[in-house]
Amino acid sequence: MTQFTRRAVLAAGSAAIGLASVSARAAPPATPLKTLAAAKGIGFGTALSASHLADPAYMAIVRHECASLVAENEHKMYTIIPTADQENYAPADALRDFAVANGLRMRGHTLLWHHPRWMPAWLNETTFTDGRAAEAFLGPYIDRVAGRYAPFIYSWDVINETVDDATGALRETSLSRAMGHSVIDFCFHRARAAAPTATLAYNDYMSWESGSAAHRRGVLKLLEGLRARNVPIDALGIQSHSNYDMPDEFTPAKQRAWREFCDAVVGMGLKIYLTEFDVNDTRLSAGKRHRDRLIASYTKDYLDIMFSYDAVEDLMMWGMIDKYSWLQDFLPRTDDVEKRPTLYDSNYAPKPMREAVAAALAGAPARSSMQVG
Ligand code: G3I
Protein backbone atom coordinates (compact mmCIF):
# COMPACT_ATOMS: atom_id res chain seq x y z
CA MET A 1 0.00 0.00 0.00
CA THR A 2 1.00 3.62 -0.18
CA GLN A 3 3.34 5.59 2.02
CA PHE A 4 0.44 7.93 2.69
CA THR A 5 -1.50 5.08 4.27
CA ARG A 6 1.38 4.17 6.52
CA ARG A 7 1.86 7.77 7.66
CA ALA A 8 -1.82 8.10 8.42
CA VAL A 9 -1.66 5.01 10.57
CA LEU A 10 1.43 6.18 12.39
CA ALA A 11 -0.36 9.41 13.25
CA ALA A 12 -3.39 7.48 14.44
CA GLY A 13 -1.12 5.17 16.36
CA SER A 14 0.56 8.03 18.22
CA ALA A 15 -2.82 9.31 19.32
CA ALA A 16 -3.73 5.92 20.64
CA ILE A 17 -0.48 5.57 22.55
CA GLY A 18 -1.47 8.75 24.39
CA LEU A 19 -4.88 7.32 25.16
CA ALA A 20 -3.42 4.07 26.39
CA SER A 21 -1.10 5.78 28.82
CA VAL A 22 -3.87 7.71 30.59
CA SER A 23 -4.54 4.84 32.92
CA ALA A 24 -4.36 1.10 32.99
CA ARG A 25 -8.16 0.86 32.95
CA ALA A 26 -8.94 3.85 30.78
CA ALA A 27 -12.49 4.19 29.50
CA PRO A 28 -12.76 2.73 26.01
CA PRO A 29 -12.55 5.21 23.10
CA ALA A 30 -15.71 7.22 22.48
CA THR A 31 -16.88 5.95 19.10
CA PRO A 32 -17.26 2.19 19.29
CA LEU A 33 -15.85 0.12 16.46
CA LYS A 34 -19.29 -1.46 15.96
CA THR A 35 -20.68 2.02 15.23
CA LEU A 36 -17.95 2.86 12.72
CA ALA A 37 -18.51 -0.53 11.09
CA ALA A 38 -22.31 -0.32 11.01
CA ALA A 39 -22.11 3.04 9.25
CA LYS A 40 -20.52 1.14 6.34
CA GLY A 41 -22.76 -1.92 6.47
CA ILE A 42 -20.02 -4.02 8.08
CA GLY A 43 -20.48 -6.21 11.15
CA PHE A 44 -17.80 -5.98 13.86
CA GLY A 45 -17.22 -8.45 16.66
CA THR A 46 -14.88 -10.84 18.41
CA ALA A 47 -14.30 -14.41 19.40
CA LEU A 48 -14.92 -15.10 23.06
CA SER A 49 -14.46 -18.07 25.35
CA ALA A 50 -17.06 -18.86 27.99
CA SER A 51 -14.32 -18.49 30.60
CA HIS A 52 -13.89 -14.82 29.60
CA LEU A 53 -17.42 -14.02 30.74
CA ALA A 54 -16.06 -13.91 34.30
CA ASP A 55 -13.79 -10.95 33.45
CA PRO A 56 -15.92 -7.80 33.87
CA ALA A 57 -13.31 -5.40 32.47
CA TYR A 58 -13.08 -7.47 29.30
CA MET A 59 -16.84 -7.78 29.00
CA ALA A 60 -17.18 -3.98 29.30
CA ILE A 61 -14.88 -3.64 26.28
CA VAL A 62 -16.80 -6.28 24.33
CA ARG A 63 -20.11 -4.57 25.09
CA HIS A 64 -18.69 -1.21 24.04
CA GLU A 65 -16.95 -2.25 20.83
CA CYS A 66 -18.75 -5.29 19.45
CA ALA A 67 -22.01 -6.02 17.67
CA SER A 68 -21.37 -9.75 17.41
CA LEU A 69 -19.63 -12.73 18.99
CA VAL A 70 -18.29 -16.05 17.88
CA ALA A 71 -17.41 -18.88 20.26
CA GLU A 72 -13.64 -19.49 20.30
CA ASN A 73 -13.98 -23.21 21.05
CA GLU A 74 -17.46 -23.87 22.44
CA HIS A 75 -19.24 -24.86 19.22
CA LYS A 76 -16.48 -27.23 18.15
CA MET A 77 -17.36 -30.90 17.94
CA TYR A 78 -14.64 -31.81 20.45
CA THR A 79 -16.37 -29.54 23.00
CA ILE A 80 -19.95 -30.62 22.25
CA ILE A 81 -19.35 -34.37 21.97
CA PRO A 82 -16.05 -35.06 23.77
CA THR A 83 -17.05 -38.70 24.14
CA ALA A 84 -19.46 -40.74 22.02
CA ASP A 85 -22.13 -40.83 24.72
CA GLN A 86 -21.89 -37.29 26.10
CA GLU A 87 -23.18 -33.91 24.83
CA ASN A 88 -22.10 -30.61 26.34
CA TYR A 89 -23.85 -27.42 25.30
CA ALA A 90 -23.36 -25.54 28.58
CA PRO A 91 -20.41 -23.31 27.51
CA ALA A 92 -21.97 -22.51 24.12
CA ASP A 93 -25.28 -21.74 25.80
CA ALA A 94 -23.52 -19.40 28.25
CA LEU A 95 -22.09 -17.42 25.34
CA ARG A 96 -25.49 -17.37 23.62
CA ASP A 97 -27.13 -16.12 26.83
CA PHE A 98 -24.52 -13.35 27.17
CA ALA A 99 -25.08 -12.36 23.54
CA VAL A 100 -28.86 -12.26 23.97
CA ALA A 101 -28.64 -10.31 27.23
CA ASN A 102 -26.41 -7.70 25.61
CA GLY A 103 -28.07 -7.40 22.21
CA LEU A 104 -25.17 -9.00 20.34
CA ARG A 105 -25.48 -11.14 17.22
CA MET A 106 -23.61 -14.43 16.94
CA ARG A 107 -21.68 -16.37 14.31
CA GLY A 108 -21.24 -20.11 14.62
CA HIS A 109 -17.78 -21.72 14.45
CA THR A 110 -17.86 -24.52 13.36
CA LEU A 111 -20.16 -27.40 12.48
CA LEU A 112 -17.32 -29.59 11.23
CA TRP A 113 -13.62 -28.87 11.68
CA HIS A 114 -12.77 -31.44 9.05
CA HIS A 115 -9.23 -32.15 10.21
CA PRO A 116 -8.38 -35.24 12.27
CA ARG A 117 -6.27 -33.21 14.70
CA TRP A 118 -9.35 -31.30 15.82
CA MET A 119 -11.99 -34.01 15.70
CA PRO A 120 -12.83 -35.86 18.92
CA ALA A 121 -10.47 -38.82 19.49
CA TRP A 122 -13.39 -41.26 19.62
CA LEU A 123 -14.55 -40.11 16.17
CA ASN A 124 -11.07 -40.50 14.70
CA GLU A 125 -11.08 -44.05 16.05
CA THR A 126 -14.52 -44.86 14.60
CA THR A 127 -14.74 -46.94 11.44
CA PHE A 128 -18.11 -46.38 9.76
CA THR A 129 -19.37 -49.37 7.81
CA ASP A 130 -20.33 -47.17 4.85
CA GLY A 131 -21.36 -43.67 3.84
CA ARG A 132 -24.88 -44.07 5.14
CA ALA A 133 -23.59 -44.96 8.60
CA ALA A 134 -21.43 -41.82 8.65
CA GLU A 135 -24.38 -39.72 7.47
CA ALA A 136 -26.54 -41.26 10.21
CA PHE A 137 -24.13 -39.78 12.75
CA LEU A 138 -23.27 -36.48 11.07
CA GLY A 139 -26.71 -35.43 9.83
CA PRO A 140 -28.50 -35.52 13.20
CA TYR A 141 -25.46 -33.87 14.83
CA ILE A 142 -25.75 -30.89 12.46
CA ASP A 143 -29.51 -30.81 13.00
CA ARG A 144 -29.05 -30.66 16.77
CA VAL A 145 -26.30 -28.03 16.86
CA ALA A 146 -27.45 -25.74 14.06
CA GLY A 147 -31.09 -26.25 15.04
CA ARG A 148 -30.46 -25.43 18.70
CA TYR A 149 -29.15 -21.96 17.84
CA ALA A 150 -31.44 -21.21 14.86
CA PRO A 151 -32.46 -18.58 13.97
CA PHE A 152 -30.19 -16.75 16.43
CA ILE A 153 -26.86 -17.57 14.78
CA TYR A 154 -26.76 -15.46 11.62
CA SER A 155 -23.91 -17.30 9.92
CA TRP A 156 -22.18 -20.65 10.32
CA ASP A 157 -18.70 -21.76 9.42
CA VAL A 158 -20.10 -25.04 8.14
CA ILE A 159 -16.68 -26.51 7.38
CA ASN A 160 -13.39 -25.31 8.83
CA GLU A 161 -9.91 -25.92 7.43
CA THR A 162 -10.37 -29.03 5.32
CA VAL A 163 -7.76 -27.98 2.74
CA ASP A 164 -4.24 -29.18 3.50
CA ASP A 165 -2.08 -26.06 3.61
CA ALA A 166 0.98 -27.80 2.14
CA THR A 167 -0.64 -29.59 -0.81
CA GLY A 168 -4.03 -27.97 -1.39
CA ALA A 169 -5.64 -31.42 -1.22
CA LEU A 170 -8.70 -32.15 0.90
CA ARG A 171 -7.95 -33.75 4.26
CA GLU A 172 -8.97 -37.33 5.05
CA THR A 173 -10.87 -38.24 8.21
CA SER A 174 -12.94 -41.15 9.44
CA LEU A 175 -15.92 -39.36 7.88
CA SER A 176 -14.39 -38.86 4.42
CA ARG A 177 -13.13 -42.44 4.42
CA ALA A 178 -16.78 -43.53 4.64
CA MET A 179 -18.51 -40.77 2.64
CA GLY A 180 -15.80 -39.59 0.29
CA HIS A 181 -15.37 -35.85 -0.11
CA SER A 182 -19.11 -35.50 -0.54
CA VAL A 183 -18.97 -35.11 3.25
CA ILE A 184 -18.39 -31.40 2.56
CA ASP A 185 -21.46 -31.04 0.31
CA PHE A 186 -23.53 -33.07 2.74
CA CYS A 187 -22.75 -30.69 5.63
CA PHE A 188 -23.72 -27.60 3.65
CA HIS A 189 -27.02 -29.12 2.52
CA ARG A 190 -27.82 -30.29 6.03
CA ALA A 191 -26.88 -26.92 7.56
CA ARG A 192 -29.12 -25.10 5.09
CA ALA A 193 -32.04 -27.27 6.14
CA ALA A 194 -31.32 -26.95 9.88
CA ALA A 195 -30.57 -23.20 9.87
CA PRO A 196 -32.33 -21.79 6.81
CA THR A 197 -31.83 -18.13 7.72
CA ALA A 198 -28.07 -18.41 8.38
CA THR A 199 -25.49 -17.63 5.75
CA LEU A 200 -23.18 -20.60 5.24
CA ALA A 201 -19.42 -20.24 4.97
CA TYR A 202 -16.32 -22.29 4.29
CA ASN A 203 -13.63 -20.99 6.70
CA ASP A 204 -9.85 -21.34 6.33
CA TYR A 205 -6.51 -19.66 7.02
CA MET A 206 -5.10 -19.34 3.48
CA SER A 207 -3.41 -15.97 3.39
CA TRP A 208 -1.01 -13.62 1.63
CA GLU A 209 1.92 -15.17 3.46
CA SER A 210 4.90 -16.97 1.91
CA GLY A 211 4.11 -20.61 1.38
CA SER A 212 0.34 -20.11 1.17
CA ALA A 213 0.03 -20.42 -2.64
CA ALA A 214 -0.87 -24.14 -2.62
CA HIS A 215 -3.37 -23.49 0.15
CA ARG A 216 -4.99 -20.66 -1.81
CA ARG A 217 -5.18 -22.84 -4.95
CA GLY A 218 -6.73 -25.70 -2.98
CA VAL A 219 -9.37 -23.45 -1.45
CA LEU A 220 -10.29 -21.97 -4.84
CA LYS A 221 -10.62 -25.48 -6.27
CA LEU A 222 -12.88 -26.50 -3.41
CA LEU A 223 -15.06 -23.39 -3.81
CA GLU A 224 -15.31 -23.83 -7.58
CA GLY A 225 -16.47 -27.40 -7.08
CA LEU A 226 -19.06 -26.38 -4.49
CA ARG A 227 -20.41 -23.70 -6.83
CA ALA A 228 -20.46 -26.06 -9.82
CA ARG A 229 -22.48 -28.60 -7.82
CA ASN A 230 -24.93 -25.94 -6.56
CA VAL A 231 -23.99 -26.61 -2.96
CA PRO A 232 -25.57 -23.95 -0.71
CA ILE A 233 -22.52 -21.88 0.22
CA ASP A 234 -22.82 -18.11 0.67
CA ALA A 235 -19.43 -16.98 1.88
CA LEU A 236 -15.74 -17.65 2.32
CA GLY A 237 -14.45 -17.05 5.82
CA ILE A 238 -10.95 -15.62 5.49
CA GLN A 239 -9.54 -16.11 8.95
CA SER A 240 -6.92 -13.38 8.54
CA HIS A 241 -4.39 -14.63 11.04
CA SER A 242 -0.99 -13.33 10.08
CA ASN A 243 1.16 -15.99 11.70
CA TYR A 244 4.44 -16.74 9.98
CA ASP A 245 5.32 -13.66 7.93
CA MET A 246 5.72 -10.64 10.13
CA PRO A 247 3.61 -7.50 9.66
CA ASP A 248 6.42 -5.66 7.85
CA GLU A 249 6.58 -8.43 5.22
CA PHE A 250 3.26 -7.55 3.53
CA THR A 251 5.08 -6.60 0.32
CA PRO A 252 3.48 -5.30 -2.90
CA ALA A 253 4.15 -8.66 -4.61
CA LYS A 254 2.37 -10.55 -1.82
CA GLN A 255 -0.47 -8.04 -1.93
CA ARG A 256 -0.90 -8.63 -5.67
CA ALA A 257 -1.07 -12.41 -5.24
CA TRP A 258 -3.55 -11.95 -2.42
CA ARG A 259 -5.77 -9.69 -4.51
CA GLU A 260 -5.80 -12.29 -7.29
CA PHE A 261 -7.15 -14.80 -4.77
CA CYS A 262 -9.79 -12.38 -3.45
CA ASP A 263 -10.79 -11.42 -7.01
CA ALA A 264 -11.38 -15.09 -7.80
CA VAL A 265 -13.53 -15.57 -4.70
CA VAL A 266 -15.60 -12.49 -5.47
CA GLY A 267 -15.88 -13.65 -9.09
CA MET A 268 -17.71 -16.72 -7.79
CA GLY A 269 -20.36 -14.48 -6.26
CA LEU A 270 -19.43 -15.29 -2.66
CA LYS A 271 -19.50 -12.93 0.29
CA ILE A 272 -16.29 -12.64 2.29
CA TYR A 273 -16.20 -12.64 6.08
CA LEU A 274 -12.97 -11.75 7.88
CA THR A 275 -13.46 -14.21 10.67
CA GLU A 276 -10.40 -14.39 12.95
CA PHE A 277 -8.23 -11.29 12.63
CA ASP A 278 -5.09 -10.94 14.75
CA VAL A 279 -1.40 -10.25 14.09
CA ASN A 280 1.47 -12.38 15.31
CA ASP A 281 4.74 -10.72 16.36
CA THR A 282 6.94 -13.75 17.08
CA ARG A 283 10.03 -12.45 15.28
CA LEU A 284 9.71 -8.70 15.85
CA SER A 285 12.15 -7.06 18.28
CA ALA A 286 10.73 -6.64 21.76
CA GLY A 287 10.07 -2.88 21.97
CA LYS A 288 6.34 -2.29 22.44
CA ARG A 289 6.20 0.91 20.41
CA HIS A 290 8.04 -0.71 17.53
CA ARG A 291 5.75 -3.74 17.48
CA ASP A 292 2.60 -1.68 17.91
CA ARG A 293 3.61 0.61 15.05
CA LEU A 294 4.26 -2.27 12.62
CA ILE A 295 1.14 -4.16 13.67
CA ALA A 296 -1.03 -1.05 13.28
CA SER A 297 0.48 -0.21 9.92
CA TYR A 298 -0.10 -3.74 8.62
CA THR A 299 -3.63 -3.79 10.06
CA LYS A 300 -4.55 -0.63 8.17
CA ASP A 301 -2.98 -1.84 4.92
CA TYR A 302 -4.63 -5.26 5.12
CA LEU A 303 -8.06 -3.92 6.01
CA ASP A 304 -7.88 -1.18 3.36
CA ILE A 305 -7.40 -3.90 0.75
CA MET A 306 -10.13 -6.09 2.19
CA PHE A 307 -12.69 -3.31 2.61
CA SER A 308 -12.10 -2.29 -1.00
CA TYR A 309 -14.09 -5.45 -1.79
CA ASP A 310 -17.81 -4.79 -1.49
CA ALA A 311 -18.22 -8.51 -0.72
CA VAL A 312 -16.54 -8.07 2.70
CA GLU A 313 -19.38 -7.73 5.19
CA ASP A 314 -17.95 -8.85 8.52
CA LEU A 315 -14.81 -8.29 10.59
CA MET A 316 -14.35 -10.52 13.62
CA MET A 317 -11.29 -10.22 15.87
CA TRP A 318 -9.91 -13.48 17.28
CA GLY A 319 -9.99 -12.03 20.79
CA MET A 320 -9.69 -8.43 21.96
CA ILE A 321 -7.19 -8.62 24.86
CA ASP A 322 -3.56 -9.64 24.42
CA LYS A 323 -3.28 -11.85 27.49
CA TYR A 324 -6.11 -14.12 26.34
CA SER A 325 -4.90 -14.52 22.75
CA TRP A 326 -4.19 -18.06 21.53
CA LEU A 327 -1.03 -16.60 19.96
CA GLN A 328 0.63 -16.34 23.38
CA ASP A 329 1.11 -20.13 23.12
CA PHE A 330 1.48 -20.54 19.35
CA LEU A 331 4.89 -19.88 17.75
CA PRO A 332 6.05 -18.42 21.08
CA ARG A 333 8.64 -15.67 21.26
CA THR A 334 12.07 -16.76 22.43
CA ASP A 335 12.40 -13.82 24.83
CA ASP A 336 9.29 -14.54 26.94
CA VAL A 337 7.96 -11.07 26.17
CA GLU A 338 4.16 -11.01 25.92
CA LYS A 339 2.85 -10.76 22.36
CA ARG A 340 0.65 -7.83 21.28
CA PRO A 341 -1.66 -9.40 18.65
CA THR A 342 -5.02 -7.80 19.56
CA LEU A 343 -6.64 -4.38 19.95
CA TYR A 344 -6.28 -3.98 23.72
CA ASP A 345 -3.27 -4.69 25.92
CA SER A 346 -3.39 -6.90 28.98
CA ASN A 347 -4.22 -3.88 31.16
CA TYR A 348 -7.35 -3.30 29.04
CA ALA A 349 -5.94 -0.19 27.35
CA PRO A 350 -6.52 0.35 23.61
CA LYS A 351 -3.47 0.16 21.35
CA PRO A 352 -2.53 1.67 17.98
CA MET A 353 -3.94 -1.47 16.34
CA ARG A 354 -7.37 -0.44 17.58
CA GLU A 355 -6.99 2.98 15.97
CA ALA A 356 -5.86 1.32 12.73
CA VAL A 357 -9.08 -0.72 12.67
CA ALA A 358 -11.08 2.45 13.40
CA ALA A 359 -9.29 4.32 10.58
CA ALA A 360 -9.87 1.47 8.11
CA LEU A 361 -13.56 1.30 9.01
CA ALA A 362 -13.92 5.08 8.76
CA GLY A 363 -12.28 5.03 5.32
CA ALA A 364 -14.16 1.99 4.00
CA PRO A 365 -16.74 2.50 1.26
CA ALA A 366 -20.32 1.75 2.35
CA ARG A 367 -21.37 -1.75 1.34
CA SER A 368 -23.85 -1.83 -1.55
CA SER A 369 -25.94 -4.27 0.54
CA MET A 370 -26.91 -1.25 2.71
CA GLN A 371 -29.03 0.04 -0.15
CA VAL A 372 -31.00 -3.18 -0.46
CA GLY A 373 -34.53 -3.11 0.94
O1 G3I B 1 -9.77 -26.06 28.31
C1 G3I B 1 -8.58 -26.86 28.37
C2 G3I B 1 -8.04 -26.85 29.76
O2 G3I B 1 -8.97 -27.47 30.62
C3 G3I B 1 -6.71 -27.58 29.77
O3 G3I B 1 -6.14 -27.49 31.04
C4 G3I B 1 -5.75 -26.97 28.75
C5 G3I B 1 -4.43 -27.72 28.68
O4 G3I B 1 -3.88 -27.61 27.38
O5 G3I B 1 -6.35 -27.03 27.50
C6 G3I B 1 -7.56 -26.31 27.43
O6 G3I B 1 -8.06 -26.43 26.16
C7 G3I B 1 -7.42 -25.66 25.16
C8 G3I B 1 -8.47 -24.77 24.53
O7 G3I B 1 -7.90 -24.09 23.45
C9 G3I B 1 -9.01 -23.73 25.51
O8 G3I B 1 -7.99 -22.88 25.90
C10 G3I B 1 -6.86 -26.62 24.14
O9 G3I B 1 -5.78 -27.35 24.71
C11 G3I B 1 -6.37 -25.85 22.95
O10 G3I B 1 -6.01 -26.77 21.92
C12 G3I B 1 -7.46 -24.95 22.42
O11 G3I B 1 -6.91 -24.19 21.40
C13 G3I B 1 -7.84 -23.54 20.54
C14 G3I B 1 -7.57 -24.00 19.12
O12 G3I B 1 -8.36 -23.26 18.21
C15 G3I B 1 -7.91 -25.47 18.93
O13 G3I B 1 -9.27 -25.70 19.10
C16 G3I B 1 -7.65 -22.04 20.68
O14 G3I B 1 -8.12 -21.62 21.96
C17 G3I B 1 -8.44 -21.31 19.60
O15 G3I B 1 -8.10 -19.94 19.61
C18 G3I B 1 -8.09 -21.88 18.23
O16 G3I B 1 -8.90 -21.25 17.29
C19 G3I B 1 -8.61 -21.59 15.92
C20 G3I B 1 -9.92 -21.58 15.17
O17 G3I B 1 -10.85 -22.42 15.78
C21 G3I B 1 -9.73 -21.98 13.72
N1 G3I B 1 -8.71 -21.15 13.10
C22 G3I B 1 -7.43 -21.06 13.79
C23 G3I B 1 -7.66 -20.60 15.24
C24 G3I B 1 -6.33 -20.45 15.94
O18 G3I B 1 -5.68 -21.69 16.04
Side-chain angles (χ1 to χ4, degrees):
M1 294 292 282
T2 60
Q3 289 301 310
F4 173 80
T5 303
R6 287 185 182 275
R7 273 200 300 274
V9 167
L10 298 188
S14 309
I17 289 167
L19 229 185
S21 63
V22 171
S23 92
R25 299 244 174 153
T31 307
L33 294 172
K34 64 183 174 190
T35 306
L36 294 170
K40 302 301 170 66
I42 297 169
F44 179 83
T46 187
L48 209 58
S49 278
S51 60
H52 298 152
L53 298 173
D55 180 339
Y58 187 10
M59 290 313 98
I61 288 171
V62 169
R63 277 191 288 265
H64 180 75
E65 300 278 34
C66 297
S68 53
L69 295 182
V70 61
E72 187 167 353
N73 296 304
E74 289 76 356
H75 280 126
K76 293 173 183 172
M77 193 182 267
Y78 71 70
T79 301
I80 293 181
I81 39 175
T83 60
D85 54 1
Q86 194 191 351
E87 285 208 327
N88 174 27
Y89 293 101
D93 286 356
L95 287 169
R96 187 266 322 273
D97 292 348
F98 175 83
V100 169
N102 291 284
L104 298 161
R105 306 197 314 152
M106 207 163 171
R107 291 199 77 240
H109 171 81
T110 170
L111 291 173
L112 181 62
W113 192 339
H114 193 244
H115 184 323
R117 182 171 177 200
W118 302 112
M119 285 182 14
W122 69 266
L123 186 54
N124 284 329
E125 289 155 13
T126 299
T127 304
F128 293 98
T129 48
D130 55 20
R132 280 177 179 271
E135 285 181 14
F137 154 72
L138 190 55
Y141 173 76
I142 291 173
D143 294 349
R144 289 198 299 282
V145 178
R148 185 181 184 92
Y149 301 101
F152 182 63
I153 285 185
Y154 70 92
S155 172
W156 271 103
D157 291 334
V158 177
I159 302 285
N160 188 53
E161 296 174 19
T162 197
V163 176
D164 186 309
D165 57 10
T167 64
L170 298 179
R171 296 185 197 277
E172 295 292 347
T173 67
S174 59
L175 294 166
S176 66
R177 278 190 287 279
M179 297 171 69
H181 291 130
S182 69
V183 62
I184 310 297
D185 299 21
F186 176 85
C187 289
F188 277 96
H189 284 291
R190 200 75 179 217
R192 178 66 95 220
T197 62
T199 56
L200 305 182
Y202 173 70
N203 191 53
D204 211 328
Y205 56 83
M206 67 283 131
S207 75
W208 54 266
E209 296 180 291
S210 314
S212 190
H215 199 186
R216 291 194 298 267
R217 274 197 299 276
V219 169
L220 289 181
K221 190 172 166 204
L222 170 66
L223 296 177
E224 281 158 7
L226 293 171
R227 286 310 240 180
R229 296 189 298 277
N230 283 322
V231 173
I233 178 172
D234 305 300
L236 173 66
I238 295 178
Q239 294 183 3
S240 307
H241 298 290
S242 126
N243 283 338
Y244 300 95
D245 292 9
M246 292 298 103
D248 50 352
E249 295 166 14
F250 191 41
T251 60
K254 289 176 186 170
Q255 292 176 27
R256 271 195 300 279
W258 181 238
R259 277 186 186 274
E260 280 170 25
F261 172 81
C262 295
D263 290 344
V265 174
V266 169
M268 289 184 223
L270 295 169
K271 296 175 193 292
I272 294 177
Y273 295 145
L274 308 180
T275 52
E276 307 185 12
F277 187 70
D278 53 22
V279 184
N280 185 32
D281 66 18
T282 294
R283 287 185 285 103
L284 298 185
S285 58
K288 285 184 190 175
R289 276 176 173 258
H290 168 69
R291 283 185 290 150
D292 283 357
R293 184 173 55 79
L294 291 180
I295 289 170
S297 176
Y298 162 73
T299 296
K300 178 71 166 52
D301 286 353
Y302 180 75
L303 293 181
D304 279 350
I305 288 179
M306 298 317 296
F307 291 151
S308 76
Y309 289 96
D310 189 59
V312 172
E313 293 189 358
D314 239 18
L315 170 60
M316 303 293 286
M317 307 302 302
W318 205 244
M320 297 274 284
I321 302 283
D322 287 342
K323 66 182 170 186
Y324 297 134
S325 170
W326 73 288
L327 283 167
Q328 300 300 349
D329 299 322
F330 182 74
L331 300 172
R333 294 179 61 92
T334 52
D335 56 10
D336 279 344
V337 164
E338 187 180 67
K339 291 188 189 177
R340 297 175 69 78
T342 75
L343 305 187
Y344 282 75
D345 72 16
S346 295
N347 291 318
Y348 307 90
K351 299 186 302 176
M353 185 185 181
R354 192 254 174 219
E355 293 315 307
V357 172
L361 288 168
R367 310 293 93 173
S368 61
S369 56
M370 290 184 82
Q371 285 139 32
V372 174

